Amino acid sequence: MLEQLNKQRQKVSSLVENRVHFAAKDVELSIYDTYENAEHIRLCSSEVLFCGMLTGKKVMHVNSCDYHKPFLPNESFVLAPKQAVYIDFPTACLDKPTTCLAIEISKDKITSVADKLNYEHHAHQQNYFEYHSELVHNEHNAQTQQLLNRLILLFSENDPQRAFYIDLALNELVARLLQQQSRDFLFKQISQGHLNTGIHAAIVHMQKDLSQHLDIEQLSKIACMSRSKFFEQFKTMMGTTPQQWLHGQKLMSARNQLKQGQNVTSVAFSLGFSHPSQLSRSFKKAFNQTPKQYQTQHINRHQD
């Protein structure tokens, strides 16, 4: 299945940013392999550019927003159209190339997916799902990584239904980007006190203490809604159930505490996990690495 891709990657024409390219409707996919140390390599696109690191390390410089940070595997980096990034490759070498996946997505595709999301969530009047032309750099979960791997397979195979499956996967990728941006925008509005609905009040209450037991009856009262209405409105706004959302918030908090040098045991108990192994299992499932592996990667990020 990957034979075509591997053959193309073996035809190395440049040690810096050697590119394998595929195209389909509304999208172009490129895999960049870099085999030697380099600095200040420019990357820019007229479309939204979604990048995912596969191996190695890059340092991304976006002068327009004074952004200068490392880019590692299991992370997503999204550039707005015509937003240039300059890249350093501090660890690239012949036997361990730095490899990145770049997906150019047309504006029409993003608008189409946003319209469908707004319609399905009855949010079209507020335009809740809307692409914001700004830099996005996130540590993505295992589901997003699996989706990127699936896109690589789809682009490199010759299945008669290839275009159909690529479109389905692309819809999912764009939906994840829009949902992430919408949630980030929502939290910013909440923190600045610009939103004050029942769901937002319940979210603020949950954020105050992530170790607390999820009490739907209490949250429904805070939101001034029935239990069923609270579930419906919460899933519309957040794209997930209250239980799943709280669990995700715990895992993100765990990442932040691990970055600060906290040990796994203290992090687990501070977030209400019954045992460190429970946190480790959930963390590995979400981010495809153990808490200790994540902490080591973060330490190495700042030592290189």
Side-chain angles (χ1 to χ4, degrees):
M1 186 178 292
L2 288 175
E3 184 177 353
Q4 179 187 355
L5 173 61
N6 290 332
K7 284 182 178 178
Q8 289 190 240
R9 294 179 73 182
Q10 288 168 7
K11 298 176 182 178
V12 178
S13 59
S14 171
L15 293 180
V16 179
E17 291 293 88
N18 186 67
R19 181 190 185 205
V20 176
H21 175 258
F22 301 94
K25 185 177 184 295
D26 294 320
V27 61
E28 294 187 14
L29 180 146
S30 299
I31 297 175
Y32 292 95
D33 293 309
T34 305
Y35 295 90
E36 65 177 23
N37 187 297
E39 294 183 352
H40 212 63
I41 304 300
R42 187 177 186 271
L43 180 63
C44 186
S45 173
S46 60
E47 307 287 358
V48 172
L49 189 64
F50 185 104
C51 302
M53 276 294 288
L54 301 180
T55 63
K57 172 183 176 179
K58 294 183 178 182
V59 180
M60 314 295 271
H61 306 281
V62 183
N63 296 331
S64 61
C65 56
D66 195 27
Y67 185 93
H68 312 277
K69 292 187 179 181
F71 183 35
L72 300 175
N74 297 309
E75 295 183 356
S76 300
F77 189 92
V78 185
L79 282 170
K82 299 182 180 179
Q83 184 177 41
V85 60
Y86 295 88
I87 310 169
D88 299 339
F89 301 85
T91 64
C93 57
L94 280 172
D95 58 339
K96 290 184 179 180
T98 296
T99 302
C100 177
L101 173 73
I103 303 173
E104 293 181 87
I105 308 169
S106 75
K107 303 179 190 70
D108 289 343
K109 168 56 71 173
I110 292 176
T111 300
S112 172
V113 175
D115 288 345
K116 289 177 182 177
L117 286 171
N118 284 320
Y119 180 80
E120 289 179 8
H121 291 280
H122 308 288
H124 50 288
Q125 292 181 342
Q126 298 95 340
N127 286 327
Y128 178 67
F129 295 102
E130 185 176 11
Y131 175 70
H132 303 281
S133 297
E134 58 188 28
L135 173 70
V136 177
H137 187 178
N138 287 320
E139 295 172 89
H140 58 236
N141 57 27
Q143 287 76 19
T144 299
Q145 188 62 48
Q146 290 166 4
L147 175 58
L148 295 177
N149 293 339
R150 188 160 78 248
L151 274 165
I152 294 174
L153 291 174
L154 290 171
F155 270 96
S156 59
E157 67 182 9
N158 294 314
D159 190 290
Q161 303 300 318
R162 173 179 177 270
F164 174 77
Y165 291 126
I166 286 175
D167 190 61
L168 287 179
L170 183 60
N171 284 343
E172 182 180 349
L173 182 65
V174 173
R176 288 180 181 274
L177 169 61
L178 292 170
Q179 288 169 338
Q180 179 64 51
Q181 281 205 323
S182 298
R183 283 193 290 266
D184 290 346
F185 178 75
L186 173 65
F187 288 136
K188 187 182 296 183
Q189 294 295 301
I190 291 174
S191 66
Q192 294 172 351
H194 296 160
L195 294 175
N196 191 28
T197 69
I199 294 295
H200 306 138
I203 289 172
V204 170
H205 177 78
M206 295 166 73
Q207 286 179 315
K208 286 180 180 178
D209 182 8
L210 295 177
S211 67
Q212 66 183 316
H213 174 69
L214 189 69
D215 188 337
I216 296 298
E217 296 299 332
Q218 182 186 29
L219 292 174
S220 300
K221 289 179 181 178
I222 292 173
C224 298
M225 298 177 185
S226 67
R227 183 185 178 97
S228 60
K229 185 68 173 178
F230 175 73
F231 265 104
E232 178 189 347
Q233 291 293 314
F234 193 97
K235 193 162 186 180
T236 295
M237 189 69 68
M238 306 307 297
T240 186
T241 67
Q243 181 67 51
Q244 292 168 333
W245 182 85
L246 180 61
H247 186 67
Q249 291 297 299
K250 288 184 178 185
L251 293 178
M252 287 191 286
S253 179
R255 288 196 310 199
N256 291 332
Q257 292 185 54
L258 291 167
K259 286 180 181 179
Q260 296 166 10
Q262 300 292 320
N263 65 62
V264 177
T265 299
S266 63
V267 170
F269 290 130
S270 73
L271 292 172
F273 287 94
S274 59
H275 193 275
S277 61
Q278 184 185 19
L279 169 61
S280 295
R281 286 193 300 271
S282 296
F283 198 97
K284 178 72 180 292
K285 183 177 180 180
F287 306 119
N288 207 31
Q289 57 186 165
T290 67
K292 196 64 182 176
Q293 288 170 335
Y294 175 81
Q295 192 170 56
T296 300
Q297 176 179 280
H298 179 75
I299 292 171
N300 292 338
R301 168 199 291 253
H302 293 280
Q303 288 180 342
D304 289 338

